[in-house]
């Protein structure tokens, strides 16, 4: 008898140690720090540290106000002496639809107000089905599908939360208050870079201002966040801990950070990390802009480009075509820049004779490292015209033929301009003659820098031989 009683007590004690307490809620008010690292692909790494009161051994804690677009498989929780045993992401939010779906098969109250008297009548009913439209109710012995009243609930199901919630089963080696860091990736948060450039009268310098546009499409406010932006296309199929370690505090940086306006930049793990030098709020369903950089007296060169549509094998001709306007900028310190530029859109303005700004074009740039060249295509020049044709074509033998071309460049400006004219050629080409000296761009492209006098014309002729065998 005594042995059986002892075994019973031991079993009872064993059962008692596995009983979990109700989740301890950890609200945003217990937050001690928040860092957000936002990637170009519309994802963000959130590092959210909060004070949590822990008991020794087992704890169940509930982190409130988590992004509704969190990627649960990327969640990582860290604290001294704490290990995670289990996690649950409760994304069933408290709303009309979920309340109705959770109540299917249970008894509810239904209330109907007589429109003539205003008297409310309450009845017991069983909610049989709900698909988002009218509920199917059993009231007494009748089935109601178009009940004119409303369903009234007496309580909220435990699985529904006003905001997305992460619940953790944790094991702690000691009791006390610990700073618990929660890290996770979430979609719905993005950033992009936009640049505004003003070209001077001589069109050889410009001022450049860069803005970062932040967009938060989640249902969570991120207040007083330390903000970091990653320029570069991270491979998001990598395991979450790898992505997180890439931005960790002990990462090895390639070079010292550079101050650029409101942000500093530094190279890390093959990407560029831009850090805002002050905390900021990124509120739910908000778009905001933050200054990224500024530069004055940035050197620029205006160029003209026309890519030939002519072909050795075609009699196609063209006329009244316009070359495109290009602005070339060297991203170097000597030219007024010299800083890593994240990809984005550059919009260019210039003042007219009345000192009013006019928009002259825009173009996108890719991630541009220091000392790389930026080429902006702004539009077509009204004063420049190009026309061309294939003059003749001769078959010399099987697989060997020649073609001659003539291209005219007309300039209505009061100053001389140079137009870069590019011609694509098939394999096995050879220039037999040309009125201006060409240059080779690659295996199948040559170009001429054609000078056109003020209010004048320049004619380019060239003859090509092609061998296909």
């Amino acid at each position: 008898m005594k042995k059986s009683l002892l075994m019973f007590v031991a079993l009872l004690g064993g059962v008692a140690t596995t009983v979990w307490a109700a989740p301890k809620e950890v609200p945003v008010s217990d937050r001690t720090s928040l860092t957000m690292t936002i990637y170009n692909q519309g994802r963000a790494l959130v590092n959210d540290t909060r004070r949590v009161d822990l008991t020794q051994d087992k704890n169940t804690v509930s982190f409130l106000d988590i992004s509704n677009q969190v990627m649960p498989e990327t969640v990582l929780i860290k604290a001294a002496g704490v290990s995670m045993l289990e996690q649950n992401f409760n994304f069933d939010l408290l709303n009309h639809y979920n309340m109705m779906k959770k109540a299917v098969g249970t008894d509810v109250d239904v209330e109907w107000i007589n429109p003539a008297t205003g008297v409310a009548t309450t009845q017991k009913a069983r909610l049989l089905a709900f698909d988002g439209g009218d509920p199917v109710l059993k009231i007494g012995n009748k089935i109601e599908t178009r009940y004119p009243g409303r369903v009234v609930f007496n309580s909220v199901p435990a699985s529904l939360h006003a905001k997305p919630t992460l619940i953790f089963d944790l094991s702690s080696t000691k009791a006390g208050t610990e700073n618990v860091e929660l890290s996770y990736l979430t979609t719905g948060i993005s950033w992009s870079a936009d640049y505004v450039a003003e070209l001077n009268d001589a069109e050889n310098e410009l001022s450049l201002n860069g803005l970062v546009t932040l967009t938060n499409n989640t249902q969570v406010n991120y207040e007083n966040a330390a903000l970091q932006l990653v320029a570069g296309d991270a491979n998001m199929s990598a395991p979450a801990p790898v992505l997180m370690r890439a931005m960790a505090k002990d990462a090895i940086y390639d070079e010292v950070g550079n101050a650029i306006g409101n942000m500093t930049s530094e190279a890390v793990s093959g990407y560029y990390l831009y850090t805002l030098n002050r905390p900021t709020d990124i509120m739910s369903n908000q778009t905001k802009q933050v200054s990224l950089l500024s530069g004055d007296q940035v050197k620029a060169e205006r160029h003209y480009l026309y890519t030939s549509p002519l072909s050795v094998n075609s009699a196609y001709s063209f006329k009244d075509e316009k070359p495109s306007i290009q602005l070339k900028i060297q991203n170097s310190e000597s030219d007024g820049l010299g800083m890593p530029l994240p990809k984005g859109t550059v919009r260019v303005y210039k003042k007219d004779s009345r000192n009013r700004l006019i928009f002259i074009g825009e173009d996108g740039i890719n991630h541009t490292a220091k000392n790389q060249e930026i080429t902006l295509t702004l539009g077509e020049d009204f004063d420049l015209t190009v026309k061309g044709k294939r003059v003749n074509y001769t078959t010399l033998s099987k697989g060997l033929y020649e073609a001659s071309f003539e291209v005219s460049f007309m300039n209505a400006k009061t100053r001389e301009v140079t137009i870069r004219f590019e011609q694509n050629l098939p394999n096995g080409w050879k220039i037999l003659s040309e009125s201006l000296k060409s240059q080779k761009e690659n295996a199948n492209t040559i170009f001429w820098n054609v000078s056109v006098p003020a209010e004048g014309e320049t004619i380019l002729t060239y003859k090509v031989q092609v061998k296909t065998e």
Side-chain angles (χ1 to χ4, degrees), residues 61 63 75-79 82 84 168 170 180-183:
V61 297
F63 269 72
V75 172
L76 184 66
I77 192 164
K78 295 188 297 182
V82 175
M84 194 269 289
F168 298 95
L170 304 177
V180 178
E181 181 184 15
L182 174 67
S183 301

Side-chain angles (χ1 to χ4, degrees), residues 276-326:
L276 186 65
N277 57 20
R278 56 178 176 79
T280 189
D281 297 336
I282 309 174
M283 309 304 283
S284 174
N285 296 316
Q286 180 189 64
T287 295
K288 70 184 304 180
Q289 290 186 309
V290 179
S291 177
L292 173 65
L293 58 87
S294 62
D296 293 321
Q297 297 181 322
V298 179
K299 294 179 182 178
E301 292 183 357
R302 187 182 180 102
H303 292 261
Y304 301 98
L305 170 68
Y306 185 80
T307 301
S308 172
L310 297 175
S311 170
V312 172
N313 299 313
S314 172
Y316 173 80
S317 62
F318 65 93
K319 63 179 181 178
D320 298 331
E321 295 289 326
K322 303 292 184 181
S324 59
I325 304 168
Q326 292 188 329

Side-chain angles (χ1 to χ4, degrees), residues 15-325:
V15 172
T17 59
T18 61
V19 173
W20 295 86
K24 180 187 295 294
E25 292 189 348
V26 184
V28 172
S29 58
D30 290 337
R31 178 181 287 156
T32 59
S33 67
L34 175 65
T35 300
M36 298 189 66
T37 305
I38 307 178
Y39 295 81
N40 286 124
Q41 297 99 318
R43 296 185 184 182
L45 169 61
V46 179
N47 295 98
D48 187 347
T49 302
R50 304 184 190 183
R51 295 184 304 273
V52 182
D53 293 329
L54 298 171
T55 59
Q56 189 173 1
D57 200 10
K58 298 179 177 66
N59 298 263
T60 299
V61 297
S62 174
F63 269 72
L64 307 180
D65 292 295
I66 302 300
S67 169
N68 59 305
Q69 299 187 46
V70 62
M71 302 167 65
E73 68 276 12
T74 69
V75 172
L76 184 66
I77 192 164
K78 295 188 297 182
V82 175
S83 59
M84 194 269 289
L85 303 178
E86 184 176 312
Q87 72 178 40
N88 297 283
F89 176 46
N90 291 349
F91 53 86
D92 269 354
L93 297 184
L94 182 59
N95 55 42
H96 169 74
Y97 180 83
N98 285 333
M99 284 285 289
M100 295 289 286
K101 291 295 289 185
K102 294 289 184 182
V104 170
T106 67
D107 292 332
V108 296
D109 290 336
V110 291
E111 184 179 86
W112 174 70
I113 299 177
N114 189 317
T117 64
V119 176
T121 300
T122 302
Q123 298 173 283
K124 291 292 183 181
R126 175 158 292 252
L127 180 57
L128 299 179
F130 177 73
D131 62 359
D134 292 324
V136 180
L137 299 165
K138 183 179 181 181
I139 304 175
N141 294 321
K142 296 183 178 180
I143 306 299
E144 177 72 54
T145 60
R146 289 292 182 91
Y147 185 74
R150 59 181 181 175
V151 177
V152 180
F153 302 95
N154 296 318
S155 62
V156 175
S159 60
L160 294 184
H161 295 78
K163 294 183 179 180
T165 303
L166 278 169
I167 299 176
F168 298 95
D169 291 341
L170 304 177
S171 178
S172 177
T173 58
K174 61 181 179 179
T177 302
E178 294 288 343
N179 283 326
V180 178
E181 181 184 15
L182 174 67
S183 301
Y184 61 87
L185 287 172
T186 178
T187 58
I189 302 175
S190 61
W191 76 279
S192 61
D194 292 279
Y195 303 89
V196 176
E198 182 180 343
L199 198 59
N200 67 354
D201 289 339
E203 298 188 349
N204 59 4
E205 284 186 349
L206 54 81
S207 61
L208 183 68
N209 291 289
L211 294 172
V212 168
T213 300
L214 305 170
T215 303
N216 178 7
N217 288 322
T218 73
Q219 298 177 6
V220 177
N221 295 328
Y222 293 99
E223 300 181 61
N224 203 37
L227 179 64
Q228 300 181 124
L229 308 174
V230 177
D233 297 322
N235 182 5
M236 290 299 181
S237 65
V242 174
L243 292 173
M244 292 176 180
R245 284 199 298 271
M247 295 296 122
K249 296 177 182 178
D250 59 353
I252 299 176
Y253 294 97
D254 299 327
E255 61 183 54
V256 177
N258 299 310
I260 49 172
N262 287 326
M263 292 192 175
T264 56
S265 69
E266 52 199 356
V268 53
S269 300
Y271 306 102
Y272 265 94
L273 183 67
Y274 298 85
T275 303
L276 186 65
N277 57 20
R278 56 178 176 79
T280 189
D281 297 336
I282 309 174
M283 309 304 283
S284 174
N285 296 316
Q286 180 189 64
T287 295
K288 70 184 304 180
Q289 290 186 309
V290 179
S291 177
L292 173 65
L293 58 87
S294 62
D296 293 321
Q297 297 181 322
V298 179
K299 294 179 182 178
E301 292 183 357
R302 187 182 180 102
H303 292 261
Y304 301 98
L305 170 68
Y306 185 80
T307 301
S308 172
L310 297 175
S311 170
V312 172
N313 299 313
S314 172
Y316 173 80
S317 62
F318 65 93
K319 63 179 181 178
D320 298 331
E321 295 289 326
K322 303 292 184 181
S324 59
I325 304 168

